[in-house]
């Protein structure tokens, strides 16, 4: 049995999936956080949050790595950790740094830090010769305006150190670029209290379907578990509206996406982790959008598990402990699984969702989760603002996405306007 140090967590499904995987693997964890209430506020009323299943809950300033390391050393001498893990992007480099400092298994801190910074990722991929969009790194407005004129519109505007699609926008001209720049300037500190870097990444807009490649790297070898497709909406934002595993692609396209992801992992020097690499399939070939050095979010790990029997969250636990992950494909009786998200179109207070009654009993439905009446709703601008999701499967072929889309089409949120 291993003892993991979990450094913070996402508040969504991974805050439940990761504790489950640790428990089911026969392990235990100590949860380290700067603000436990950040998580407890998300627990359904009357239930205990899965993070409270920790052997210990320790409060410390996880935003100050230099001061944190001596504290971790003292904890380690008393509690003895066998690995370090987190699901939250903002603490992935911290977790890798702690593991290295304690001599525990884990990916290289420098590689993880580069993957968590969109500008550093672009540089590493370009240096390795991977084809990608034309891009510019812009430290201020003057640099951004000049670079945009050189690159040519339309462009993708990206903060270098945020995630979940926050403030990522397609900009068609300088007026829209200025609006995106002003909106980001009003967000100087991220949701975890960390001061942001003002550098902005501008990229050529890539055309083509988007997929993600799910991989597990261990002992110097990266294993491709599969390719997931993605639907995107909410223009000018890039909001993930659904996913299906496996992607309904010709074998050649899936293989090209997988090979590109492996080259990206190698360029960044990533090993000893589960990764989720997003790729655009353009007419000129696959192009890396970003490399995420952690398991996929939006319950993609559950899609993979339903179809293949491979638990990517459990694999994340195993590699963090230095154990060989179980990547054996098992017959599940399902050929595809998909998830679709209910995206709000306007702000207000949710009065109810028409068509939700009986949704769980529809054939093929694996799970549903919908916001309750009274919930405060924002007009969606990122992957953080869903009203819920529907997950369904197809035992015969790649029909899961169509099934989910039909179910979502029958749902009608009713809003009370502010």
């Amino acid at each position: 049995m291993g003892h993991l140090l979990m450094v913070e967590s996402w508040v969504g499904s991974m805050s439940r999936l990761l504790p489950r995987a640790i428990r089911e693997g026969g392990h235990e964890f100590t949860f380290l956080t700067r603000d436990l209430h950040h998580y407890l506020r998300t627990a359904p009323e009357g239930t205990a949050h899965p993070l409270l299943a920790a052997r210990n809950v320790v409060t410390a300033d996880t935003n100050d790595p230099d001061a944190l390391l001596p504290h971790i050393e003292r904890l380690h001498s008393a509690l003895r950790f066998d690995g370090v893990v987190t699901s939250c992007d903002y603490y992935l480099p911290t977790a890798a740094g702690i593991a290295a400092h304690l001599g525990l298994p884990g990916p290289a801190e420098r590689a993880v830090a580069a993957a968590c910074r969109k500008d550093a990722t672009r540089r590493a991929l370009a240096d390795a010769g991977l084809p990608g969009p034309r891009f510019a790194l812009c430290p201020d407005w003057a640099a951004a305006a000049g670079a945009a004129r050189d690159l040519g519109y339309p462009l993708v505007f990206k903060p270098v150190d945020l995630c979940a699609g926050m403030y990522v926008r397609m900009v068609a001209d300088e007026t829209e670029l200025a609006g995106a720049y002003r909106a980001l300037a009003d967000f100087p500190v991220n949701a975890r209290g960390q001061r942001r870097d003002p550098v902005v990444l501008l990229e050529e807009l890539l055309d083509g379907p988007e997929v993600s490649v799910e991989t597990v790297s261990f002992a110097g070898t990266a294993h491709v578990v599969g390719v997931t497709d993605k639907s995107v909406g909410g223009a000018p934002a890039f909001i993930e509206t659904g996913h299906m595993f496996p992607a309904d692609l010709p074998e050649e396209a899936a293989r090209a996406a997988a090979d590109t992801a492996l080259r990206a992992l190698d360029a960044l020097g990533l090993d000893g982790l589960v990764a989720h690499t997003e790729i655009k399939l353009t007419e000129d070939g696959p192009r890396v959008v970003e490399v995420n050095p952690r398991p996929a979010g939006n319950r993609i790990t559950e899609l993979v598990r339903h179809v293949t029997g491979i638990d990517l969250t459990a694999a994340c636990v195993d590699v963090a402990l230095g154990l060989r992950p179980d990547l054996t494909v098992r017959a599940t009786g399902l050929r595809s699984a998909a998830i679709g998200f209910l995206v709000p179109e306007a702000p207000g207070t949710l009065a109810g969702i028409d068509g939700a009654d009986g949704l769980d009993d529809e054939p093929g439905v694996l799970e549903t989760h919908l916001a309750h009446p009274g919930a405060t709703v924002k007009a969606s601008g990122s992957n953080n603002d869903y009203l819920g999701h529907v997950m369904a499967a197809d035992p015969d072929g790649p029909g899961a996405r169509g099934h989910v889309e039909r179910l979502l089409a029958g749902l009608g949120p009713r809003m009370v306007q502010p």
Side-chain angles (χ1 to χ4, degrees):
M1 180 174 70
H3 183 195
L4 282 157
L5 175 66
M6 185 188 299
V7 184
E8 303 288 3
S9 169
W10 282 127
V11 297
S13 64
M14 197 54 70
S15 71
R16 293 157 174 78
L17 292 174
L18 192 53
R20 183 193 75 183
I22 293 171
R23 183 180 64 253
E24 291 181 352
H27 311 299
E28 59 184 0
F29 68 100
T30 288
F31 184 51
L32 180 71
T33 178
R34 64 191 292 268
D35 180 12
L36 182 60
H37 291 285
H38 181 79
Y39 305 94
L40 301 187
R41 288 190 293 267
T42 67
E45 186 175 352
T47 65
H49 198 289
L51 291 170
L52 294 182
R55 172 176 154 187
N56 313 283
V57 177
V58 179
T59 300
D61 187 357
T62 51
N63 286 349
D64 187 351
D66 291 336
L68 187 62
L69 286 178
H71 184 56
I72 295 297
E73 288 179 358
R74 292 189 293 272
L75 287 175
H76 183 51
S77 65
L79 302 176
R80 306 309 302 175
F81 302 119
D82 301 299
V84 187
V85 70
T86 183
S87 62
C88 181
D89 295 50
Y90 298 131
Y91 297 98
L92 288 165
T94 300
I98 292 171
H101 187 76
L102 298 180
L104 299 175
E109 181 182 7
R110 177 178 293 185
V112 173
C116 290
R117 290 270 309 204
K118 295 177 176 63
D119 51 344
T121 297
R122 278 283 168 245
R123 290 194 191 97
L125 299 186
D127 289 347
L130 266 76
R134 293 178 300 121
F135 68 93
L137 306 176
C138 310
D140 54 37
W141 164 248
R149 288 191 291 269
D150 291 340
L151 290 171
Y153 294 97
L155 293 168
V156 180
F157 172 97
K158 292 183 177 181
V160 298
D161 54 2
L162 291 176
C163 46
M166 292 184 67
Y167 293 91
V168 179
R169 295 290 183 272
M170 190 276 285
V171 293
D173 53 37
E174 189 164 303
T175 299
E176 291 185 2
L177 176 63
Y181 211 95
R182 285 194 300 271
L184 182 60
D186 290 336
F187 193 71
V189 177
N190 68 26
R192 298 308 179 94
Q194 299 168 336
R195 182 159 292 279
R196 293 193 47 260
D197 191 321
V199 173
V200 164
L201 178 63
L202 295 181
E203 294 181 353
E204 172 189 12
L205 180 66
L206 296 173
D207 187 31
E210 188 167 339
V211 300
S212 62
V213 181
E214 322 308 334
T215 55
V216 180
S217 302
F218 182 75
T221 301
H223 305 268
V224 175
V225 174
V227 181
T228 311
D229 77 5
K230 176 189 297 186
S231 55
V232 178
F238 296 86
I239 301 170
E240 297 177 359
T241 59
H243 306 278
M244 184 173 76
F245 184 89
D248 187 15
L249 292 173
E251 183 178 345
E252 182 179 353
R255 185 168 56 249
D259 289 345
T260 299
L262 294 177
R263 290 180 62 194
L265 295 177
D266 185 60
L268 287 161
L270 290 168
D271 186 29
L273 46 66
V274 178
H276 167 72
T277 303
E278 297 174 340
I279 291 174
K280 278 275 194 178
L281 302 178
T282 75
E283 289 186 353
D284 297 321
R287 299 292 184 264
V288 175
V289 176
E290 62 186 43
V291 180
N292 298 281
R294 41 85 179 155
N298 273 351
R299 299 190 73 75
I300 290 173
T301 57
E302 292 301 278
L303 301 182
V304 174
R305 185 176 63 84
H306 281 300
V307 174
T308 68
I310 296 172
D311 189 338
L312 288 171
T313 313
C316 177
V317 171
D318 287 338
V319 296
L321 290 167
L323 303 174
R324 184 169 298 279
D326 182 3
L327 303 180
T328 305
V329 176
R330 297 174 176 83
T332 66
L334 301 178
R335 297 286 298 279
S336 66
I339 188 169
F341 300 99
L342 191 58
V343 180
E345 297 180 358
T349 300
L350 184 66
I353 299 178
D354 294 334
D357 292 344
L359 188 60
D360 288 323
D361 300 323
E362 289 285 340
V365 169
L366 298 172
E367 64 179 54
T368 65
H369 175 75
L370 298 174
H372 296 294
T376 300
V377 179
K378 299 186 297 182
S380 187
S382 73
N383 300 333
N384 294 324
D385 304 319
Y386 301 127
L387 287 175
H389 69 258
V390 177
M391 184 188 295
D394 180 1
D396 301 317
R401 172 183 288 284
H403 187 30
V404 163
E405 289 175 347
R406 288 189 293 273
L407 293 171
L408 282 176
L411 299 179
R414 287 180 286 108
M415 308 295 296
V416 177
Q417 299 302 318

